[in-house]
Amino acid sequence: MLRYNKFSEYLKRKYGRRVQKISVDAGLTCPVRDGILSRSGCFYCNSYGSGNASNEPVDIQIATQMEYYEKKYREPYFILYYQAYSNTYGENEYLKKLYDKVFDNDRFVAISIGTRPDCIDEEILKYLEKMNEKKDVWLELGLESASIKTLQKIGRMHGIASFVDGVNRIQKHNLNVCAHVIFGLPYDNSGDMLESAKLCSVLNVDAIKIHSFYLEKGTVFEKIYRSKGFSFLSAEKYVEIVVKALRYLKPDIVIQRLTGDPNRELLIGPEWTLNKHKIITSIESIMERNNYKQGDLSEFNYVKRN
Ligand code: SF4
């Protein structure tokens, strides 16, 4: 029995076959790298902008990945995923051309655009709202932590209100929103992590990606770690917090991710983040063993008077 709203199952239900994300680096940047808000980048982010870095033209990246997945799976559908950096941060005309590539191939059923809550322009939202009549449009929005103190300490340069505003504005245009959160960030405690899940739940996001924090070479956190040190969440604690978070998330929220995907070459720690399969299996078996379901704690604001 499926204990949570798993992304792969959601896609099969909706589109009737396997759907594969094509991750593209469109050569953009973000305001915490180009000097508009800062130059450091978010402290956990590697120089690839949290995506699959590529210097190839976008069309080549798309064609190469499509060819690969077409050999691997039988007639899959695709989601065009602008992943690296902030993909609503640029010249609007250039961005529109990038998004329009979703119409180049009928096998694209949707487009997913990764960005920050403070980089969402109204003109772009209107453009995407029109696009959404023909192809499903998702915006992937980083919250990362529901603790303002943590956000201030990790160089995000936006607060919780900015995230809420971003979600509200996307929803006003009837677009799908997928929230990104990170569990295990230095400075966050388990209460902060669960608060992230609760916030996403009450905001009725359409989907969530839960990433495990991992430390990579070339990040600001590497320097902090080497000078002052900090401890990592254990795998057991991570699993325990994710299980609880799933129980706080409303049942219809699609779970796109349950752990992180570190680059093996860049990883400093924790080592367990490399074993994605084991983490997911542990989460699923605890849910099963205890008869837990996604959302079974989601009415957390209802206090019954005796
Ligand atoms: S996480 Fe996103 S916003 Fe932060 S530095 Fe990386 S690409 Fe920029």
Side-chain angles (χ1 to χ4, degrees):
M1 177 189 173
L2 262 181
R3 302 255 157 205
Y4 63 96
N5 195 358
K6 204 174 185 169
F7 190 41
S8 53
E9 297 304 315
Y10 160 85
L11 291 172
K12 264 187 233 152
R13 272 196 316 274
K14 186 162 171 84
Y15 302 109
R17 69 173 83 168
R18 187 183 176 93
V19 183
Q20 191 64 45
K21 271 192 178 175
I22 302 284
S23 300
V24 177
D25 178 348
L28 295 165
T29 182
C30 55
V32 290
R33 287 186 177 275
D34 67 1
I36 295 292
L37 296 178
S38 80
R39 290 202 183 276
S40 67
C42 303
F43 289 7
Y44 54 85
C45 184
N46 65 29
S47 54
Y48 305 135
S50 298
N52 289 344
S54 175
N55 293 325
E56 300 266 29
V58 168
D59 290 331
I60 303 285
Q61 293 179 52
I62 293 172
T64 312
Q65 290 179 62
M66 274 184 150
E67 198 185 321
Y68 172 80
Y69 289 120
E70 267 160 358
K71 277 185 198 143
K72 197 166 174 191
Y73 305 113
R74 222 178 104 244
E75 301 189 336
Y77 283 147
F78 298 104
I79 297 173
L80 178 57
Y81 180 27
Y82 288 107
Q83 181 183 23
Y85 304 102
S86 298
N87 295 282
T88 53
Y89 187 61
E91 284 291 317
N92 283 354
E93 291 318 304
Y94 176 68
L95 295 174
K96 288 174 190 172
K97 277 192 195 126
L98 285 177
Y99 306 156
D100 281 349
K101 290 184 188 296
V102 77
F103 296 116
D104 288 356
N105 193 312
D106 287 346
R107 304 273 286 283
F108 278 126
V109 290
I111 180 169
S112 206
I113 301 162
T115 193
R116 293 168 52 91
D118 52 1
C119 291
I120 304 171
D121 178 84
E122 204 55 29
E123 183 188 328
I124 286 295
L125 286 177
K126 282 188 191 142
Y127 191 77
L128 293 173
E129 187 173 6
K130 270 249 155 280
M131 185 176 263
N132 197 36
E133 290 166 13
K134 298 186 186 123
K135 302 269 182 182
D136 293 330
V137 176
W138 287 80
L139 279 133
E140 302 202 16
L141 211 56
L143 165 64
E144 317 311 356
S145 168
S147 157
I148 185 67
K149 290 199 175 119
T150 300
L151 292 182
Q152 284 164 347
K153 286 181 181 166
I154 64 171
R156 279 294 290 181
M157 306 297 286
H158 70 74
I160 315 297
S162 175
F163 175 78
V164 173
D165 176 60
V167 171
N168 287 340
R169 290 174 56 221
I170 293 167
Q171 289 174 336
K172 209 174 76 196
H173 288 273
N174 301 313
L175 302 167
N176 300 294
V177 56
C178 173
H180 287 214
V181 298
I182 304 175
F183 286 0
L185 278 166
Y187 322 119
D188 250 6
N189 59 38
S190 55
D192 298 325
M193 298 171 215
L194 294 176
E195 196 63 20
S196 298
K198 291 176 186 178
L199 180 64
C200 292
S201 193
V202 296
L203 284 173
N204 292 309
V205 299
D206 300 280
I208 190 167
K209 282 186 179 173
I210 303 174
H211 299 257
S212 48
F213 171 73
Y214 48 81
L215 178 62
E216 285 190 339
K217 291 174 195 155
T219 59
V220 176
F221 265 142
E222 180 188 8
K223 290 186 198 132
I224 298 174
Y225 181 74
R226 301 221 187 267
S227 62
K228 298 185 202 149
F230 50 74
S231 53
F232 299 116
L233 217 54
S234 68
E236 293 70 29
K237 190 71 188 165
Y238 179 78
V239 166
E240 182 193 316
I241 296 169
V242 172
V243 166
K244 194 95 185 248
L246 288 172
R247 301 181 67 203
Y248 279 124
L249 288 164
K250 287 177 188 156
D252 54 340
I253 295 175
V254 180
I255 311 299
Q256 289 205 16
R257 199 176 243 292
L258 283 176
T259 183
D261 227 346
N263 179 325
R264 186 176 285 272
E265 308 300 313
L266 298 180
L267 184 72
I268 297 169
E271 192 75 9
W272 59 261
T273 53
L274 288 170
N275 203 338
K276 207 168 143 183
H277 179 72
K278 190 171 170 203
I279 295 297
I280 295 172
T281 308
S282 308
I283 293 166
E284 290 178 349
S285 62
I286 291 179
M287 298 284 285
E288 187 65 39
R289 211 177 321 128
N290 295 285
N291 198 22
Y292 294 153
K293 288 193 197 100
Q294 179 180 339
D296 61 8
L297 296 177
S298 63
E299 290 189 38
F300 56 86
N301 274 331
Y302 182 59
V303 180
K304 198 169 179 188
R305 196 172 164 202
N306 285 322

